[in-house]
């Protein structure tokens, strides 16, 4: 399998050559040249363990790692030990257990990994793939990132202790929840460096961009990234759509709907890929919070990224986005994989504008992909958390609440609905207390993590201070 850029530049690349990079050199995103067709294999795959299923699916996308090595990487990544924080510990072996709220209305638990958010599902694989490829090539990498919470901790737990990898993770000083700070800053691994920036998330993000744009520094210090546009993350997420489908159906001619709490369009992009491969997904329900850029697109055909000033801080903070960095992948498919059209549309977007597909040649194609959407507010979130607790005895986090709110509006008779659970409630304790008047359920292994010693360097929002830390440790 070879990979091409959504903007059409460069020669097709092998998987291992795009693994360590971010954007394609022409500014586009990588996608496989074609989607493998697997409808005929579904019966055979039903009943496979998660690791085995991951191996079958990833083998179709990764053709430059020997099968035995890829199998070993999948077996090592998807273990019941790593994904052990399930509501029902007896189900940990499923890796992504399915919990039914009602007949035909399910929750797929994706947040049972080390940082209690779905980003572990892909990031843990990335950690093992990075280690493997760097070993093979005798290279090292220094991962530089900025986080407002879930991404940074998932990256650190995936890369901790890995050979030839260091992680420099910037976070806004004092702006994450105490639980999220404790998760990241209590790591004592010698290859993990936490840097708290006096400022907001955007200041941290700007520093990362400035360092990455310094080509000489980037090359000398082998700076890399693990952000959500990395193809390997999308690919890893494809697997749990298959697993969830098998858990929720009895035969492979049944159709289902998935509802996905969405921010950067990474998670639901994997659902789109699964559907393009032939998984019978009738509907992909996209849920946003108050930052409804994507809901607006699927209702009106207009994609209008917001300015930072227009972006609201909400109680489902991992979905607080101004533009959806993976969205270009879907548009590439929508416009018939024509990079000329993508370049034209993103000329508008990159200049701070918007585009519409509402009355052009692509309007008729849009419904073909099965997307519907909705949005949720803080009040909806509180009501949904209360209601799901009262009716089903399930405690859900704020992002999953956005998903359930929209899933209920978009349910269709006879079509099983699978809502993706993207984090555990304990990560967002403040809103849980507001909704339920009690502390969130905390998995046993996380008792008292706020009291562990923390390792973090606090710096001003200055590029040179961050570069200095990198130089000092490399
Ligand atoms: C990252 C994240 C999301 C959004 O996922 P995207 O892939 O950006 O759409 C939703 N919920 C939680 C808890 C997250 O951490």
């Amino acid at each position: 399998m070879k990979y091409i850029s959504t903007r059409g530049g460069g020669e097709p690349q092998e998987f291992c050559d795009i693994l360590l990079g971010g954007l394609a050199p022409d500014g586009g995103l990588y996608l496989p040249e074609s989607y493998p067709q697997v409808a005929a294999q579904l019966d055979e795959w039903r009943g496979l363990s998660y690791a085995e299923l991951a191996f079958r699916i990833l083998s179709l996308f990764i053709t430059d790692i020997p099968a035995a090595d890829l199998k070993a990487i999948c077996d090592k990544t998807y273990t019941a030990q790593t994904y052990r924080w399930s509501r029902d510990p007896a189900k940990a072996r499923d890796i992504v257990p399915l919990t039914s709220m009602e007949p035909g209305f399910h929750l797929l638990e994706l947040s049972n990994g080390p940082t209690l958010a779905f980003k572990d599902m892909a990031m843990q694989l990335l950690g093992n793939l990075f280690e493997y490829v760097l070993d093979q090539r005798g290279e090292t990498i220094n991962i530089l990132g900025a986080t407002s919470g879930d991404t940074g901790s998932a990256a650190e737990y995936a890369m901790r202790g890995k050979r030839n990898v260091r992680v420099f993770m910037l976070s806004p000083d004092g702006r994450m929840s105490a639980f999220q700070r404790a998760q990241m800053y209590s790591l004592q691994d010698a290859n993990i460096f936490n840097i708290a920036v006096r400022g907001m998330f955007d200041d941290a993000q700007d520093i990362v961009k400035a360092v990455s744009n310094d080509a000489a520094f980037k090359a000398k210090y082998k700076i890399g990234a693990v952000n959500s546009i990395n193809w390997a993350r999308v690919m890893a997420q494809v697997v749990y759509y298959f697993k969830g489908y098998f858990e929720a159906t009895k035969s492979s001619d049944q159709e289902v709907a998935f509802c996905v709490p969405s921010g950067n369009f990474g998670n639901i992009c994997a659902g789109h890929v699964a559907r393009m491969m032939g998984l019978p997904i009738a509907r992909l329900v996209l849920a946003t919070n108050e930052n409804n850029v994507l809901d607006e697109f699927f209702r009106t055909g207009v994609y209008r990224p917001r300015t930072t000033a227009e972006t609201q801080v909400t109680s489902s903070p991992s979905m607080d986005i101004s533009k959806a960095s993976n969205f270009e992948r879907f548009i590439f498919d929508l416009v018939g994989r024509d990079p000329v059209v993508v370049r034209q549309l993103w000329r508008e977007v990159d200049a701070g504008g918007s585009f519409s597909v509402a009355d052009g040649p692509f309007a008729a194609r849009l419904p073909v992909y099965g997307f519907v959407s909705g949005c949720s507010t803080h009040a909806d979130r509180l009501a949904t958390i209360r209601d799901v607790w009262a009716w089903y005895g399930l405690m859900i986090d704020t992002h999953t609440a956005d998903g359930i709110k929209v899933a209920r509006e978009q349910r269709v008779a006879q079509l099983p609905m699978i809502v993706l659970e993207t984090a555990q409630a304990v990560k967002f304790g403040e809103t849980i207390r507001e909704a339920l008047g009690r502390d969130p359920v905390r998995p046993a292994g996380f008792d008292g993590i706020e009291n562990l010693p923390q390792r973090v360097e606090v710096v001003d929002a200055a590029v040179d201070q961050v570069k200095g830390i990198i130089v000092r440790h490399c």
Side-chain angles (χ1 to χ4, degrees):
M1 177 65 76
K2 293 257 173 95
Y3 290 86
I4 53 174
S5 165
T6 50
R7 307 234 177 140
E11 288 300 305
Q13 304 279 315
E14 294 288 349
F15 175 82
C16 291
D17 294 322
I18 65 159
L19 172 66
L20 302 172
L23 287 175
D26 62 357
L29 306 185
Y30 286 112
L31 271 177
E33 271 184 325
S34 63
Y35 294 118
Q37 295 304 304
V38 302
Q41 268 121 288
L42 293 178
D43 282 332
E44 189 202 326
W45 286 358
R46 186 177 282 278
L48 292 181
S49 71
Y50 196 93
E52 184 68 31
L53 181 63
F55 170 62
R56 303 294 178 94
I57 293 172
L58 300 190
S59 298
L60 303 172
F61 291 108
I62 307 176
T63 49
D64 56 340
I65 293 179
D69 294 352
L70 186 59
K71 176 85 170 64
I73 289 170
C74 292
D75 287 345
K76 176 171 153 186
T77 303
Y78 296 110
T79 68
Q81 173 64 17
T82 300
Y83 297 92
R84 66 184 175 282
W85 307 111
S86 176
R87 283 196 174 79
D88 175 0
K91 284 186 173 178
R93 201 169 311 143
D94 294 349
I95 309 297
V96 290
L98 190 81
T99 299
S100 292
M101 291 176 276
E102 292 171 15
F105 195 51
H106 315 283
L107 209 52
L108 188 65
E109 293 183 19
L110 303 181
S111 46
N112 297 338
T115 73
L116 308 181
F118 87 98
K119 292 190 172 69
D120 290 327
M121 294 302 303
M123 211 66 96
Q124 290 283 320
L125 179 78
L126 221 60
N128 289 326
L129 284 170
F130 269 42
E131 187 172 55
Y132 176 84
V133 171
L134 291 168
D135 251 357
Q136 297 275 310
R137 300 185 167 189
E139 290 174 10
T140 61
I141 193 168
N142 294 306
I143 294 167
L144 177 65
T147 187
S148 53
D150 292 339
T151 307
S153 53
E156 292 188 353
Y157 279 77
M159 302 295 167
R160 62 189 294 199
K162 292 272 182 285
R163 290 185 297 275
N164 307 321
V165 182
R166 291 188 197 87
V167 178
F168 296 89
M169 190 57 65
L170 277 53
S171 51
D173 188 28
R175 289 181 192 273
M176 294 188 299
S177 74
F179 186 87
Q180 287 180 316
R181 277 201 304 275
Q183 276 189 308
M184 287 178 57
Y185 301 167
S186 68
L187 286 180
Q188 299 298 330
D189 305 79
N191 69 328
I192 303 293
F193 302 95
N194 286 301
I195 304 172
V197 176
R198 291 188 192 95
M200 309 284 286
F201 170 71
D202 288 313
D203 299 311
Q205 179 94 310
D206 287 344
I207 295 176
V208 170
K209 281 188 197 147
V211 175
S212 304
N213 287 340
D214 180 343
F217 188 89
K218 187 176 177 194
K220 179 163 182 200
Y221 291 99
K222 304 186 175 16
I223 303 294
V226 288
N227 41 25
S228 75
I229 53 145
N230 187 300
W231 162 255
R233 282 181 63 183
V234 176
M235 174 193 72
Q237 292 168 177
V238 170
V239 178
Y240 53 69
Y241 284 87
F242 281 84
K243 190 68 178 163
Y245 173 80
F246 292 136
E247 295 292 324
T249 59
K250 292 208 160 56
S251 78
S252 304
D253 49 11
Q254 270 179 279
E255 293 193 314
V256 300
F258 280 95
C259 181
V260 189
S262 294
N264 273 317
F265 204 80
N267 197 351
I268 202 165
C269 186
H272 165 69
V273 173
R275 190 173 179 279
M276 298 297 281
M277 293 169 72
L279 190 66
I281 302 176
R283 294 187 131 195
L284 282 165
V285 182
L286 181 144
T288 71
N289 62 20
E290 291 88 336
N291 297 294
N292 63 347
V293 188
L294 289 169
D295 175 38
E296 183 174 274
F297 174 80
F298 286 106
R299 278 185 296 103
T300 66
V302 175
Y303 181 57
R304 185 179 70 83
R306 310 298 198 246
T307 61
T308 328
E310 281 177 297
T311 306
Q312 297 184 43
V313 177
T314 76
S315 46
S316 44
S318 297
M319 291 155 58
D320 292 348
I321 52 108
S322 53
K323 57 182 191 315
S325 49
N326 271 290
F327 189 55
E328 189 171 329
R329 290 196 159 105
F330 170 67
I331 294 294
F332 183 64
D333 285 340
L334 176 70
V335 302
R337 300 200 136 208
D338 184 345
V340 177
V341 178
V342 173
R343 283 205 299 271
Q344 208 175 329
L345 296 177
W346 257 265
R347 240 193 316 273
E348 302 295 326
V349 170
D350 291 339
S354 61
F355 65 77
S356 172
V357 297
D359 27 51
F362 309 115
R365 285 178 60 96
L366 192 50
V368 172
Y369 294 92
F371 283 90
V372 292
S373 69
C375 64
S376 170
T377 64
H378 182 70
D380 293 329
R381 221 163 280 139
L382 295 179
T384 306
I385 290 169
R386 280 187 199 118
D387 190 74
V388 170
W389 179 241
W391 281 92
Y392 312 116
L394 297 174
M395 196 177 283
I396 52 166
D397 100 293
T398 52
H399 307 76
T400 308
D402 291 335
I404 291 181
K405 187 264 183 182
V406 175
R408 282 173 161 168
E409 292 167 351
Q410 298 289 352
R411 264 182 94 178
V412 177
Q414 311 304 325
L415 186 66
M417 170 70 81
I418 304 166
V419 181
L420 301 190
E421 180 167 41
T422 56
Q424 292 201 19
V426 68
K427 298 193 86 169
F428 306 96
E430 199 181 317
T431 309
I432 298 298
R433 280 185 287 275
E434 187 181 349
L436 302 179
R438 55 160 285 177
D439 284 332
V441 173
R442 176 179 289 235
F446 294 81
D447 278 336
I449 64 165
E450 289 92 339
N451 304 324
L452 295 174
Q454 299 194 351
R455 246 176 96 238
V456 59
E457 286 186 68
V458 184
V459 300
D460 293 329
V463 177
D464 284 346
Q465 293 199 15
V466 172
K467 279 184 174 170
I469 292 176
I470 296 172
V471 171
R472 186 144 44 82
H473 291 294
C474 293

